[in-house]
Amino acid sequence: MQDNINHEYNRIEDYGLIGNMKTVALISMNGSIDFMSYPTFDSPTVFAKLLDSRKGGSFSVTPHLQDYNTKQLYLPGTAVLLTRFFSEEGIAELTDYMPVQKGHAIKSNAIVRQVKTVRGSITYKVKCAPAFDYARSNHTCEAGENEVFFKVQNDQKTVMRLLADVPLQVVDNSGYAEFTLNQSETVYLVLECGHQHIEETNPVEYYKNYTYKETIGYWRKWSSQSTYKGRWNEAVNRSAITLKLLTSSEHGSTVAAATFGLPETLGGERNWDYRYTWIRDAAFTMYAFLRLGYTSEATAFLKWIHARCQDDKLYLMYSIDGTHELAEEELSHFSGYKNSKPVRIGNAAQNQLQLDIYGELIDTIYIYNKQYSAVTYEFWETIAEQIEIVIASWRKPDHGIWEIRNVEKEFLHSRLMCWVAMDRAIKIAEFRSFPYPKQQWNEIRDEIYLDIYHNFWNEEVGAWVQYKGAGHVDASVLLMSLMHFISPHEPRWLSTMKVVEKELGLDVLLYRYRNGKESFDGLEGEEGTFNMCSFWLIESLAKSGQVSKALDSFEKMNGYANHLGLFSEQISYKAEHLGNFPQAFTHLALISAALEIDKQLDRL
């Protein structure tokens, strides 16, 4: 029974991503949209076959071909996805995108699907079977001329309209079509979404005649802004486009990943909701955007974060629109990806103390202020308020970057980022001549530095360890060098890197930490290697002068990307992708590693 269920699911990496900076959709290599939240990244799903193959809902386009193979590719410099089907009988091509116009999504979210026969005469079957509100709400279907309306029967009042230039009908409460296309013939399918009504109801000809060129033009214009001139243009630009797809054009916030509930261990309980804005992840994302010349994204995010700082405190994570009520609950009716339960929405980690967020945020503000645009004094006052929190809290144990749920420790990474917060705030103040308590801030910065340098060093291990008193390392120690806390050539640092590779490494793959027999993180089961940690190590190697090793490792690590250059959070024993997909942190770490290797190679 288990094997039969597993066969109903595609591998996590067998998907491509499209979006319009409001939401995203995942499209499998067999042409099925198996995941989409609506109307925003963190809204309930309308398609979630990826999390329950029978209840979740999907939108499939299937060519009637025997023994076909499939391939996917993005059109260069865009988020327009092509899925091709190859067989002796013919070649079919499916082009998918979400229209964007003048830099923003149109009022109604829409998906355009162009079906084309390249060779032969091929019959296609289309089935649009939404499952609204995480498949918890029923809906009605109403057929019109070449259109089907779906209306959800709950308080959300979501409406979807499927239209096409071929006849559509209602079958099993789903939109259905069957048609045959000869060589070079095309059919357009459009799915429009709205609340209570479709904000913009357009004929299918509108999408055929206008949205494709405008969407291609938008993405290529955006991609052309990149200042990256290095050796990995394709990988870096694809990562940048992926980060852009995960960023809200309306709010300026960015989500950690497109999905929720995808397991870190098949059949295990490590299944989290990543469709929110973590301060840490978003700050690093903006850092990557700034390094590539995408300054407007960083400006929009800083405006968003400044508004959040007006609250009673800075929370660990937020919804896209800036609210912070993210109660965690289980979708018990979902079977989970390959029976990986529970499937969770919301995130209880929102209430944790994670002191590192101040360092990551203020480091990004420092780069923005130094390289692009001066922050205002009003913004500086907000920064100073956050520094006061760091001063009052830096000695406290917390849950750390990995959001350990069952214990609080004095984690090295949290302490490091408190130092970063102090250091970058001082640098901003000095650079801009802002008033600040110079003696106090400098003394605290130095006190944190000495605490880390002496009290987190374990002579027996030969490394800076995960938390004060620990006997093992954690991959987040790699940020000590990347954040300019320590010289990349210092003997203690070189020793730490060797211990990290020995204890956590499998060639270029790297675990974030070893859970051990005592289950340090309080969760059952093992997890995969963490992709972003691998890129941290690669960047650290380049910084420390091991450029040839970093270069080879970077190429090998890129070999673990999927067919479109996308990464999930983790890699399994079988080298399959695990965790939510695609993950922003992995792609921004890839960008940072590529930039560092380029810099070091140019110096040779």
Side-chain angles (χ1 to χ4, degrees):
M1 181 66 177
Q2 179 70 43
D3 288 341
N4 290 337
I5 291 174
N6 286 348
H7 286 315
E8 295 177 5
Y9 292 89
N10 295 299
R11 297 182 305 172
I12 292 172
E13 63 262 38
D14 288 343
Y15 284 89
L17 184 76
I18 62 171
N20 58 5
M21 284 69 72
K22 282 188 174 183
T23 191
V24 290
L26 293 182
I27 302 174
S28 72
M29 291 186 71
N30 57 16
S32 178
I33 298 177
D34 290 347
F35 185 91
M36 186 175 80
S37 300
Y38 177 80
T40 63
F41 300 100
D42 50 11
S43 297
T45 55
V46 293
F47 301 123
K49 183 180 178 182
L50 192 57
L51 294 167
D52 191 307
S53 62
R54 299 174 185 180
K55 299 177 185 174
S58 64
F59 181 6
S60 60
V61 176
T62 307
H64 187 68
L65 295 169
Q66 298 294 321
D67 299 323
Y68 64 79
N69 296 317
T70 63
K71 290 184 179 180
Q72 282 183 324
L73 71 150
Y74 283 112
L75 294 182
T78 78
V80 177
L81 181 68
L82 269 63
T83 306
R84 287 171 166 168
F85 306 80
F86 305 93
S87 83
E88 288 292 333
E89 301 164 76
I91 299 174
E93 183 175 272
L94 177 62
T95 302
D96 285 300
Y97 62 94
M98 288 189 183
V100 277
Q101 299 170 319
K102 299 178 181 178
H104 296 282
I106 58 177
K107 288 183 180 180
S108 296
N109 283 343
I111 298 174
V112 178
R113 317 199 74 184
Q114 178 192 340
V115 187
K116 179 179 180 179
T117 294
V118 175
R119 181 177 63 79
S121 180
I122 302 173
T123 298
Y124 300 84
K125 293 182 179 181
V126 174
K127 184 178 182 181
C128 183
F132 293 93
D133 186 24
Y134 303 114
R136 295 182 298 193
S137 297
N138 295 322
H139 68 272
T140 60
C141 282
E142 181 181 321
E145 185 177 354
N146 288 10
E147 65 181 9
V148 173
F149 278 95
F150 306 88
K151 296 183 179 180
V152 68
Q153 296 174 320
N154 65 12
D155 294 338
Q156 295 174 354
K157 300 186 185 304
T158 301
V159 178
M160 293 171 58
R161 174 184 179 231
L162 177 66
L163 60 155
D165 48 11
V166 292
L168 295 169
Q169 55 185 307
V170 174
V171 176
D172 296 330
N173 212 31
S174 303
Y176 182 81
E178 185 171 343
F179 52 88
T180 300
L181 297 178
N182 296 317
Q183 183 170 308
S184 300
E185 291 181 340
T186 62
V187 158
Y188 279 79
L189 306 162
V190 179
L191 185 65
E192 295 178 326
C193 305
H195 273 308
Q196 300 189 29
H197 66 279
I198 306 296
E199 283 82 354
E200 291 182 350
T201 55
N202 297 299
V204 70
E205 286 75 18
Y206 167 78
Y207 292 98
K208 291 170 62 174
N209 296 332
Y210 298 105
T211 63
Y212 178 79
K213 287 184 178 179
E214 287 201 15
T215 301
I216 290 284
Y218 165 78
W219 281 110
R220 287 187 173 152
K221 182 178 180 181
W222 186 84
S223 296
S224 69
Q225 298 174 45
S226 175
T227 57
Y228 181 74
K229 306 298 180 186
R231 296 161 176 82
W232 294 281
N233 189 66
E234 185 173 343
V236 168
N237 286 350
R238 181 52 51 198
S239 291
I241 290 172
T242 302
L243 294 178
K244 179 64 172 175
L245 283 170
L246 298 177
T247 301
S248 169
S249 61
E250 180 180 0
H251 301 290
S253 49
T254 186
V255 294
T259 59
F260 66 93
L262 292 180
E264 297 174 12
T265 305
L266 287 181
E269 64 174 330
R270 301 168 183 267
N271 317 314
W272 315 110
D273 191 346
Y274 278 11
R275 299 170 302 155
Y276 303 115
T277 300
W278 270 256
I279 297 299
R280 173 193 310 114
D281 301 52
F284 275 131
T285 297
M286 296 309 141
Y287 177 78
F289 278 143
L290 284 170
R291 295 281 302 275
L292 297 177
Y294 295 112
T295 54
S296 62
E297 285 73 16
T299 300
F301 172 72
L302 291 185
K303 181 179 179 181
W304 182 88
I305 199 66
H306 186 253
R308 305 290 77 74
C309 290
Q310 308 312 306
D311 296 335
D312 57 331
K313 68 174 184 177
L314 186 63
Y315 288 84
L316 170 66
M317 70 181 82
Y318 296 86
S319 62
I320 286 296
D321 62 5
T323 59
H324 51 79
E325 299 299 327
L326 309 175
E328 186 171 296
E329 62 177 297
E330 296 180 9
L331 300 179
S332 58
H333 62 291
F334 270 173
S335 64
Y337 177 80
K338 294 188 177 181
N339 268 352
S340 299
K341 299 185 75 169
V343 177
R344 298 181 179 93
I345 56 173
N347 202 305
Q350 190 263 347
N351 296 313
Q352 291 184 353
L353 176 65
Q354 296 182 22
L355 292 168
D356 64 295
I357 64 174
Y358 300 98
E360 286 126 357
L361 176 60
I362 296 176
D363 184 53
T364 295
I365 297 171
Y366 163 73
I367 297 296
Y368 181 88
N369 180 79
K370 181 180 179 181
Q371 297 186 357
Y372 178 60
S373 179
V375 297
T376 63
Y377 181 68
E378 180 185 10
F379 202 109
W380 167 250
E381 290 181 309
T382 298
I383 296 171
E385 289 174 2
Q386 307 310 315
I387 289 297
E388 291 303 315
I389 296 174
V390 173
I391 291 172
S393 306
W394 70 267
R395 295 179 181 86
K396 293 180 180 179
D398 70 350
H399 294 276
I401 182 176
W402 308 127
E403 303 181 346
I404 306 300
R405 293 198 166 198
N406 67 322
V407 68
E408 290 179 301
K409 297 282 189 181
E410 292 185 60
F411 285 108
L412 170 62
H413 179 263
S414 299
R415 196 63 48 89
L416 170 67
M417 287 300 168
C418 287
W419 176 85
V420 170
M422 298 301 303
D423 181 70
R424 304 311 194 260
I426 290 169
K427 284 181 167 65
I428 294 171
E430 294 290 343
F431 181 68
R432 297 292 308 287
S433 299
F434 285 141
Y436 77 104
K438 184 173 184 178
Q439 181 176 348
Q440 181 198 21
W441 285 18
N442 278 271
E443 286 178 354
I444 291 172
R445 179 188 63 177
D446 295 346
E447 186 179 354
I448 298 173
Y449 189 98
L450 293 172
D451 180 53
I452 294 170
Y453 191 87
H454 295 296
N455 298 329
F456 286 81
W457 175 260
N458 186 315
E459 190 66 36
E460 292 183 5
V461 177
W464 281 290
V465 290
Q466 184 180 37
Y467 54 86
K468 195 174 286 188
H472 53 270
V473 292
D474 177 320
S476 63
V477 70
L478 295 166
L479 290 170
M480 289 181 73
S481 172
L482 304 188
M483 287 292 169
H484 308 290
F485 176 89
I486 201 76
S487 164
H489 305 288
E490 184 158 334
R492 278 192 176 189
W493 175 246
L494 297 175
S495 175
T496 297
M497 287 180 59
K498 289 180 180 178
V499 174
V500 168
E501 287 189 86
K502 181 179 178 181
E503 288 193 7
L504 304 178
L506 296 170
D507 191 45
V508 298
L509 300 174
L510 205 68
Y511 289 97
R512 55 178 178 169
Y513 56 80
R514 293 290 190 179
N515 204 22
K517 294 181 180 179
E518 71 280 6
S519 293
F520 167 73
D521 61 16
L523 298 170
E524 295 182 1
E526 297 184 16
E527 58 187 15
T529 53
F530 259 61
N531 293 321
M532 66 178 174
C533 296
S534 295
F535 286 114
W536 285 348
L537 177 60
I538 291 165
E539 184 175 355
S540 297
L541 289 168
K543 273 186 174 293
S544 68
Q546 302 176 62
V547 184
S548 179
K549 183 177 179 180
L551 175 60
D552 293 346
S553 297
F554 187 79
E555 292 289 357
K556 290 171 75 173
M557 193 60 207
N558 275 341
Y560 287 103
N562 83 341
H563 56 291
L564 296 168
L566 303 180
F567 278 97
S568 67
E569 184 178 43
Q570 302 178 25
I571 299 294
S572 75
Y573 281 178
K574 292 174 61 179
E576 293 182 338
H577 288 213
L578 291 173
N580 288 305
F581 172 87
Q583 194 209 32
F585 228 144
T586 303
H587 285 281
L588 63 90
L590 180 156
I591 291 169
S592 189
L595 289 166
E596 183 62 34
I597 298 172
D598 278 322
K599 181 171 72 174
Q600 297 299 333
L601 286 172
D602 290 342
R603 290 175 175 175
L604 296 179

